[in-house]
Amino acid sequence: MEEYWPLFLSVVVVPTFIQLLLLPWFPESPRYLLIEKNNVHATITALKWYRAKCDIQAEIEEMQDEQRSLSSVETLSVWNLLQDDSVRWQVLSVVVINIGMQLSGIDAIWFYTNDIFENAGIPAPEIQYTTAGTGIIEIIAGLIGCFTIEKLGRRHLMIGGFTMMGICSAGITLALILQVKLLFMRYVSVCCVVGIIAGFCIGPAGVPFLITAELFKQSHRPAAYIIGGSLNWLSNFTVGFVFPFLQMSAGSYCYLVFSTVCFSVAVYVYIVIPETKNKTFMEISRLFSKKEAILESQGLFHVDQLKLRKMNGYGGLEHASLEFDSSSSVP
């Protein structure tokens, strides 16, 4: 069957062609139609198509508020976005979750699944069935994430997904080390591979792209997507290129690198990124500003009062209004 691999590779043309045929019948983004095109009628039509059973009035009012706040703001370039202090935590969050998404080791698992199973001692005739099984798990996990994201929230899915991937990456290392003495550990490594794929598809696979849109307003969003997408693909290439050399040099311990990355991203999301479900852009911005206030107040000084002000439509910190406690001292 190996000689037919070009035919199987070309199968992806079919769903791509079907998608191209169907795209003209899909409505534009409601936010784009209102903010960029100022077409209220088309916005209402698109929202009714997307939200068949929901009250769209509140969503339209929220978009109109954003439109008014952006009336004097131009679309930012990537360089200007990187220089905008009012959204520095949002930009950093996009950087962390997009790099972490690829450096989590998921590409190493996908690119070298057969090699991993072979090194784990899985008999060659069984590898193809094991690989097919991981594909089925991937579909199931993706559906679980799709149907639970509005109930559980973006933050919980990312924390849970990265944590699960971190545990399973460490589990692969343990299984590969012990499989010489305990033969059943080879199947533990297979379970860990399945766990990594499932954890990725539940949260980290899709949430970073969704949360990028929710962290920024329309004027900032294009540049944010450019930054996130560029880092995502650059990290994808890096893992695919470096993993074989990492595996040769570190052996079974190479998966601990991915485990460390996964746990680090999970901790960052837990500490820094707020839940964005059912929140407006201004509410999310205020949550980031409060976190910045807490982080700064835990640094060199005690803050009595922090006042929020709007910077380019976002909540920022009015540093000029800081009042210091007379009893506090700076070392």
Side-chain angles (χ1 to χ4, degrees):
M1 296 293 291
E2 291 184 2
E3 64 270 18
Y4 295 109
W5 72 264
L7 182 61
F8 286 108
L9 185 64
S10 64
V11 171
V12 297
V13 174
V14 177
T16 303
F17 183 70
I18 294 174
Q19 185 180 33
L20 287 174
L21 288 178
L22 295 177
L23 279 178
W25 283 273
F26 280 80
E28 282 279 6
S29 164
R31 198 172 294 275
Y32 168 80
L33 289 171
L34 183 63
I35 297 176
E36 297 289 340
K37 297 298 184 179
N38 199 29
N39 191 333
V40 179
H41 177 72
T43 302
I44 295 174
T45 302
L47 278 174
K48 287 182 177 179
W49 193 90
Y50 286 117
R51 313 274 196 268
K53 299 180 180 180
C54 299
D55 181 16
I56 63 173
Q57 184 61 36
E59 193 167 354
I60 292 177
E61 292 176 356
E62 187 268 325
M63 286 190 287
Q64 288 176 331
D65 290 339
E66 181 182 350
Q67 184 186 36
R68 286 189 288 269
S69 70
L70 293 174
S71 59
S72 61
V73 178
E74 297 181 356
T75 300
L76 270 68
S77 65
V78 172
W79 179 246
N80 288 335
L81 179 63
L82 293 174
Q83 291 181 310
D84 191 347
D85 290 338
S86 66
V87 291
R88 61 182 177 181
W89 281 105
Q90 288 93 318
V91 173
L92 180 60
S93 298
V94 168
V95 170
V96 169
I97 60 178
N98 276 278
I99 291 180
M101 174 183 175
Q102 300 297 343
L103 296 188
S104 63
I106 188 62
D107 289 320
I109 298 296
W110 277 335
F111 294 160
Y112 305 102
T113 299
N114 289 351
D115 293 337
I116 293 171
F117 290 158
E118 184 179 349
N119 293 334
I122 303 299
E126 297 180 14
I127 289 179
Q128 56 184 336
Y129 302 109
T130 308
T131 304
T134 59
I136 296 174
I137 295 298
E138 178 183 346
I139 295 173
I140 295 174
L143 291 174
I144 292 174
C146 178
F147 289 111
T148 59
I149 187 170
E150 292 301 328
K151 182 177 181 180
L152 299 178
R154 292 85 164 112
R155 188 168 176 265
H156 290 151
L157 288 182
M158 278 200 296
I159 294 173
F162 278 114
T163 302
M164 184 175 179
M165 293 177 73
I167 293 173
C168 290
S169 294
I172 290 180
T173 298
L174 183 63
L176 292 177
I177 292 174
L178 297 179
Q179 71 179 10
V180 178
K181 298 180 180 179
L182 303 172
L183 293 180
F184 73 90
M185 294 302 292
R186 67 177 62 177
Y187 298 104
V188 173
S189 64
V190 172
C191 292
C192 288
V193 169
V194 172
I196 291 174
I197 294 175
F200 179 78
C201 293
I202 287 175
V207 175
F209 302 108
L210 175 62
I211 204 170
T212 299
E214 295 180 334
L215 293 181
F216 297 92
K217 286 198 172 183
Q218 190 69 19
S219 58
H220 296 63
R221 192 178 297 135
Y225 268 111
I226 291 174
I227 293 173
S230 300
L231 291 174
N232 196 299
W233 283 106
L234 181 61
S235 302
N236 184 311
F237 169 79
T238 301
V239 172
F241 182 78
V242 171
F243 179 71
F245 303 100
L246 180 63
Q247 193 176 35
M248 286 188 294
S249 60
S252 303
Y253 296 97
C254 66
Y255 299 99
L256 292 180
V257 176
F258 302 135
S259 180
T260 302
V261 171
C262 291
F263 285 128
S264 299
V265 177
V267 170
Y268 177 89
V269 174
Y270 178 79
I271 295 176
V272 176
I273 300 181
E275 179 55 62
T276 60
K277 183 185 69 172
N278 297 330
K279 289 184 175 63
T280 66
F281 294 102
M282 287 306 301
E283 289 173 338
I284 295 171
S285 301
R286 292 190 186 101
L287 289 173
F288 271 104
S289 295
K290 289 178 181 178
K291 287 183 179 292
E292 184 174 3
I294 292 172
L295 291 173
E296 291 195 6
S297 65
Q298 290 176 345
L300 297 178
F301 50 82
H302 171 71
V303 181
D304 273 340
Q305 184 179 6
L306 288 170
K307 295 182 179 179
L308 289 174
R309 64 185 175 90
K310 291 183 180 179
M311 300 175 64
N312 294 330
Y314 287 87
L317 290 174
E318 184 65 74
H319 293 287
S321 65
L322 296 177
E323 298 179 3
F324 298 90
D325 191 337
S326 59
S327 60
S328 63
S329 60
V330 179

